[in-house]
Amino acid sequence: MNVELSSEPIVPLVTVVRVLPGARGTPLCRHCGASLIDARMVNSGFCCSGCSYVFRLVHEHGLAGYYRIKNQITVPADAAVFQARDYAWLEVAQRAAELAVAESGRPPELVLDLQGVSCAGCVWLIERLFAQQSGARNIVANAQLGTVRWRWIIGAFDGVGFARTLQAFGYLVGPLGEARADLESRALAKRIGLCTAFAMNVMLFTFPVYFGMEPSFEYARLFGLLSLAFASLSFLVGGIYFLGRALRALRVGAMHIDLPIGVGIVGAYTGSLYGWFASEERFVYFDFVSGFILLMLIGRWAQVVAVERNQRRLLALQPKPPRVLTEDAGEVAPEALRAGQVYALNAGQTNPVEAQLGADGATVSLASINGEPEPRVLAPGARVPAGAVNIGLKPLRLTARQTWRESLLAQLLQTPERAGVRDRWIEKIVRGYIGGILAIAFLAGVAWWWGTGDALRTWAVVTAVLVVSCPCAVALAFPLADEMATVALRRRGVFVREEALWTKLGGVRQIVFDKTGTLTLETPVLQNPEALKGLDPSARTALHTLVRDNPHPVSQALLENLLAEGTPEVLEGEVTEVVGCGVETGTWSLGRAGWCGAPQQEGATVLARAGIVVAEFVFADTVRADARAEVAALRRRGLAVQILSGDRRDKVAALVEELGLPSSCGLGELSPQEKAAWFIGDRTTTALMLGDGANDSLAFDRAWCRGTPVIHRGLLEQKADFYYLGLGIGGIRALFEVDTVRRQTQKVILVFSIFYNVLAVGLAVAGKINPLIAAILMPVNSLATLAIVMGGMRRIFRPAR
């Protein structure tokens, strides 16, 4: 197909730093718009090497127009753009799609989940990348649902290749999740559409009454009947939604926020129904019923859609652990492995069960299960724990010592069902509201009956009390405050996945950090980048060849730095590994100092040619740039800080000291089970756990509240209440700051609501409320409440200073 590329020249990667308006010169990443929090970032113009790499790719592909279309702040391109990812499932899916249409002549089609798409700019970029693929027909990327559908020409299109291209630009594809077509926001949108039509029709046939239409008018009864019909439809479509949720909560002994909404709807509708049949206009509030239902539905939709948008940024389903090749049964799923069975573990693959290593040694990473960032060199016959990652270049021959069900990895991957969280503060408000209104309505009815003996007049007063006692504070304003808080956090790189987060935050008294990948960066940091910049083209080509397909953490770190500045060529020939030493191809080698004739240099990784050192690279696990300042800020808020790590005790102690914490705040050499066991007593209801790896999974299950800085591993992000992106941890403090403003705004709303209800209910008890006054008070109260929310929450949208 013909592809028209941008004619803009490729922009060289010179440092051009954007500055956030009004934020006292805060520099922003040229790709994602995140704040640059240290001098190295400011000098480069990017928050990470991933953003630098993607920025360069965008311009090399002639797609610089993306930066004119995209939102100001998007998701940073993290280490996932460089890491190998298994797309065997996609290859199978493509073959199945092609077979399904082989005889029909129709183009094959796949619908997949898409992670990382956030705006129209992302959609534009994906569409143009697809257009550059051989055999591509058409593609539809849906930023709202987080899905992508593409069609292709059989035999000419490489789906896995396109998936890897998307990954290089920061987008991940995965199997389509079952929940995509059953989103609550979509169901609410349908209800809103119908109830809007119903409410407009009710207003149409009610206005003549307010403008003086007499009951004797020949069409008056017909207009009233039509108002009844459309209000009844509104009640059945929208009112039942709130009543059903309220009744389900009552069955489990909870006072849900939907209960006062349901009471108001039922009171207004039943009173109006009686008024219509009795031909008593003073009881008829059909316009109020339909308008109130519509307003409540809109408020609920705004709350739900903000959280769903963040959930859709993640893949709904992650590919299952890859199959392993056994000697006696061919390829099998990890669940089918038997004790004593011999199987191969490929490079970069995670070991599914505890096993014994064969005749060759191995280099593995245990970071995901014990938090140790340094690779382990295992001797032949050694035990290989479940969860270990083969970071060598060759497959390992292993003998299983247990079944999948007995495996630690199986335990870590389990997602237990989470109990619902009850908001006791909201329940107190609802209980007080319901009890107070019903008591006032009852007492008013008794008083009017006692004083007048007029049953119709008494019922009119009781109906008016139930109608004008508007629960807009808890039913509309509170959800709107939650939605605005969610949007404000998204602008700061924090994404709320669960609505219950706001309830949980009020009870958090302690923050528990994992160490590796949470307080420190995910990969080792090159301490002397000038050594890489000083390489000549031939050395850069050799280095790229040695690290390109190497899952070792040091190789990955070098690859990130290489690709951020350009894509070198690749040497021909095989890359071989010497376990515990390094890798080599031809006369080039990369590994520990003292290997292949290179001089001994403690702590350095050496690139050598024919035994002559070409460059020495020094790496270190680096604490996130803002960690010390942010931890101190959290402690000033009265939050205790604890570090739980599987890494060595001496390294944890050094980190604790670097962060300025007491020595008792750090525990090291903890197994996943020991991390989980720390959460006992009130810690299960007061602690916020922050982690990034499988070794944090069991602790996540026990913690009251959960967050993660990593979204490309397919585990903790599915358990987390929120996730945050970028190279800093400032999102944690932002979370509490936004929640503080949200709670303060809700208290102001509550005070205003009490004042309004005292006034409105007082008028109703005095017999001064009629349908016209009620129809005026409800929107006025709603607008005033919304204005309070907008004014109170405005602070969180101001640029950070």
Side-chain angles (χ1 to χ4, degrees):
M1 66 189 300
N2 294 328
V3 179
E4 182 177 346
L5 299 179
S6 169
S7 59
E8 298 181 29
I10 295 177
V11 178
L13 291 181
V14 296
T15 301
V16 179
V17 179
R18 291 190 294 139
V19 176
L20 182 65
R24 296 183 182 176
T26 303
L28 300 179
C29 176
R30 298 175 65 191
H31 172 68
C32 70
S35 298
L36 304 180
I37 57 178
D38 66 15
R40 180 178 294 185
M41 295 181 187
V42 173
N43 291 336
S44 68
F46 298 97
C47 67
C48 60
S49 55
C51 282
S52 174
Y53 172 60
V54 174
F55 184 85
R56 180 177 58 79
L57 284 184
V58 167
H59 285 86
E60 287 180 353
H61 281 71
L63 302 173
Y66 163 73
Y67 292 104
R68 294 194 300 270
I69 304 171
K70 82 176 191 75
N71 292 340
Q72 183 181 24
I73 300 177
T74 54
V75 177
D78 60 16
V81 300
F82 304 108
Q83 295 171 354
R85 194 171 179 88
D86 184 12
Y87 287 105
W89 62 271
L90 181 56
E91 189 174 358
V92 172
Q94 179 174 343
R95 285 200 302 268
E98 292 175 349
L99 288 174
V101 299
E103 297 181 359
S104 66
R106 293 183 292 108
E109 172 183 291
L110 277 179
V111 182
L112 305 170
D113 272 354
L114 181 63
Q115 177 173 301
V117 61
S118 59
C119 64
C122 296
V123 173
W124 181 89
L125 182 61
I126 290 169
E127 289 175 346
R128 277 147 184 80
L129 288 173
F130 185 77
Q132 296 178 6
Q133 307 300 308
S134 174
R137 290 181 67 96
N138 66 291
I139 187 171
V140 177
N142 191 321
Q144 293 298 317
L145 295 180
T147 61
V148 62
R149 182 182 72 238
W150 66 59
R151 297 188 180 96
W152 65 93
I153 299 172
I154 297 177
F157 178 74
D158 180 8
V160 172
F162 179 55
R164 296 194 189 282
T165 297
L166 289 179
Q167 179 183 344
F169 281 81
Y171 307 106
L172 299 178
V173 295
L176 185 67
E178 297 177 358
R180 293 298 189 194
D182 192 27
L183 297 172
E184 184 179 359
S185 62
R186 299 186 73 181
L188 283 171
K190 294 175 183 178
R191 293 179 189 268
I192 289 171
L194 290 171
C195 287
T196 299
F198 299 149
M200 292 177 68
N201 279 280
V202 172
M203 295 296 179
L204 177 65
F205 295 112
T206 303
F207 276 151
V209 176
Y210 296 145
F211 286 104
M213 184 181 69
E214 297 294 336
S216 58
F217 179 64
E218 60 180 319
Y219 294 117
R221 195 62 177 167
L222 176 61
F223 285 2
L225 177 62
L226 291 172
S227 294
L228 166 63
F230 286 113
S232 298
L233 289 172
S234 183
F235 177 82
L236 292 174
V237 172
I240 293 300
Y241 169 81
F242 296 104
L243 287 172
R245 289 169 61 92
L247 290 175
R248 286 194 296 271
L250 285 175
R251 290 193 189 103
V252 297
M255 302 285 283
H256 196 272
I257 192 174
D258 290 334
L259 185 57
I261 302 176
V263 169
I265 292 172
V266 170
Y269 180 74
T270 55
S272 301
L273 200 61
Y274 169 79
W276 188 85
F277 281 109
S279 297
E280 292 284 345
E281 286 295 332
R282 54 184 169 171
F283 292 108
V284 179
Y285 294 88
F286 287 133
D287 51 341
F288 177 93
V289 172
S290 58
F292 181 69
I293 290 174
L294 176 60
L295 198 61
M296 296 302 102
L297 284 173
I298 292 173
R300 183 58 48 82
W301 174 85
Q303 180 186 26
V304 169
V305 76
V307 174
E308 286 184 350
R309 188 179 299 119
N310 292 339
Q311 292 173 340
R312 292 195 299 270
R313 289 174 179 268
L314 304 176
L315 299 180
L317 294 178
Q318 296 287 340
K320 295 180 179 179
R323 299 165 69 87
V324 293
L325 181 63
T326 64
E327 291 188 352
D328 59 345
E331 272 197 0
V332 300
E335 296 88 338
L337 277 174
R338 306 184 309 271
Q341 202 166 18
V342 179
Y343 63 96
L345 187 71
N346 293 326
Q349 197 170 1
T350 301
N351 184 34
V353 299
E354 183 176 308
Q356 184 174 3
L357 187 60
D360 296 323
T363 305
V364 301
S365 171
L366 304 181
S368 64
I369 55 175
N370 67 6
E372 290 186 13
E374 295 88 356
R376 289 266 192 98
V377 178
L378 303 180
R383 168 183 166 273
V384 183
V389 178
N390 176 15
I391 58 173
L393 297 181
K394 300 177 181 177
L396 304 180
R397 187 174 185 274
L398 303 176
T399 303
R401 298 175 59 175
Q402 60 182 185
T403 64
W404 171 257
R405 183 174 298 180
E406 301 167 320
S407 166
L408 171 62
L409 186 61
Q411 298 176 37
L412 298 178
L413 293 179
Q414 287 179 354
T415 303
E417 186 174 347
R418 297 165 65 172
V421 177
R422 296 172 60 176
D423 192 329
R424 301 294 181 180
W425 187 57
I426 291 293
E427 287 192 24
K428 288 180 181 178
I429 295 174
V430 171
R431 190 177 294 112
Y433 174 86
I434 295 296
I437 292 303
L438 292 180
I440 291 172
F442 174 77
L443 293 174
V446 170
W448 275 89
W449 173 255
W450 181 268
T452 65
D454 185 344
L456 288 178
R457 182 60 173 163
T458 298
W459 182 241
V461 170
V462 171
T463 301
V465 169
L466 294 176
V467 168
V468 301
S469 56
C470 184
C472 285
V474 293
L476 180 63
F478 280 20
L480 179 59
D482 290 350
E483 193 269 343
M484 292 182 69
T486 301
V487 171
L489 284 174
R490 187 162 61 239
R491 294 186 178 186
R492 303 189 191 189
V494 182
F495 301 84
V496 179
R497 283 196 68 251
E498 299 290 341
E499 293 179 28
L501 173 66
W502 301 117
T503 300
K504 293 179 178 181
L505 283 178
V508 171
R509 301 292 179 267
Q510 188 166 25
I511 299 182
V512 181
F513 287 95
D514 171 50
K515 171 186 169 287
T516 306
T518 304
L519 284 171
T520 65
L521 296 175
E522 189 177 358
T523 55
V525 174
L526 181 63
Q527 301 298 299
N528 57 334
E530 64 279 359
L532 190 62
K533 295 180 183 296
L535 295 178
D536 60 36
S538 62
R540 293 178 67 85
T541 298
L543 182 60
H544 183 220
T545 304
L546 292 166
V547 302
R548 184 183 55 162
D549 297 318
N550 193 334
H552 194 286
V554 168
S555 294
Q556 288 292 300
L558 284 170
L559 182 64
E560 288 183 23
N561 284 273
L562 271 174
L563 295 182
E565 298 183 2
T567 306
E569 297 180 356
V570 178
L571 294 176
E572 295 183 0
E574 182 183 5
V575 177
T576 59
E577 176 191 14
V578 177
V579 175
C581 296
V583 290
E584 56 186 350
T585 180
T587 59
W588 290 94
S589 64
L590 177 72
R592 62 176 178 82
W595 174 60
C596 279
Q600 183 71 33
Q601 178 67 32
E602 186 64 29
T605 297
V606 174
L607 174 67
R609 185 174 190 179
I612 299 175
V613 174
V614 175
E616 296 178 354
F617 306 109
V618 179
F619 292 89
D621 290 325
T622 303
V623 177
R624 295 180 185 266
D626 61 348
R628 183 182 179 94
E630 292 298 329
V631 166
L634 291 171
R635 296 182 71 196
R636 286 195 298 271
R637 294 184 65 89
L639 297 166
V641 174
Q642 180 71 43
I643 299 173
L644 304 180
S645 176
D647 205 354
R648 299 197 314 267
R649 289 190 179 93
D650 60 318
K651 298 184 69 174
V652 174
L655 176 62
V656 166
E657 182 178 357
E658 184 173 354
L659 295 178
L661 295 172
S663 58
S664 59
C665 291
L667 299 175
E669 299 183 16
L670 299 180
S671 67
Q673 294 88 342
E674 289 171 332
K675 280 190 176 184
W678 185 89
F679 291 90
I680 58 174
D682 63 355
R683 292 172 178 170
T684 60
T685 57
T686 62
L688 163 60
M689 173 70 187
L690 300 167
D692 72 308
N695 62 322
D696 302 312
S697 180
L698 299 180
F700 253 50
D701 296 339
R702 297 285 299 275
W704 170 245
C705 191
R706 314 157 181 90
T708 181
V710 175
I711 63 171
H712 58 263
R713 294 180 181 172
L715 178 57
L716 295 188
E717 57 265 38
Q718 302 298 335
K719 295 185 175 187
D721 297 303
F722 68 96
Y723 57 95
Y724 57 101
L725 304 176
L727 294 187
I729 62 171
I732 308 304
R733 179 162 57 93
L735 185 67
F736 286 95
E737 289 175 346
V738 169
D739 184 54
T740 297
V741 174
R742 183 190 69 91
R743 289 180 179 275
Q744 290 172 349
T745 302
Q746 288 181 339
K747 290 177 181 178
V748 173
I749 294 167
L750 191 58
V751 171
F752 171 79
S753 179
I754 293 172
F755 173 78
Y756 162 82
N757 279 285
V758 167
L759 175 63
V761 172
L763 290 172
V765 170
K768 304 298 184 182
I769 293 292
N770 58 40
L772 177 58
I773 295 176
I776 294 172
L777 282 178
M778 192 269 288
V780 168
N781 173 55
S782 300
L783 290 174
T785 305
L786 295 179
I788 293 173
V789 176
M790 300 294 288
M793 300 296 290
R794 183 175 56 187
R795 290 175 287 168
I796 62 177
F797 289 95
R798 294 171 183 164
R801 295 182 181 275

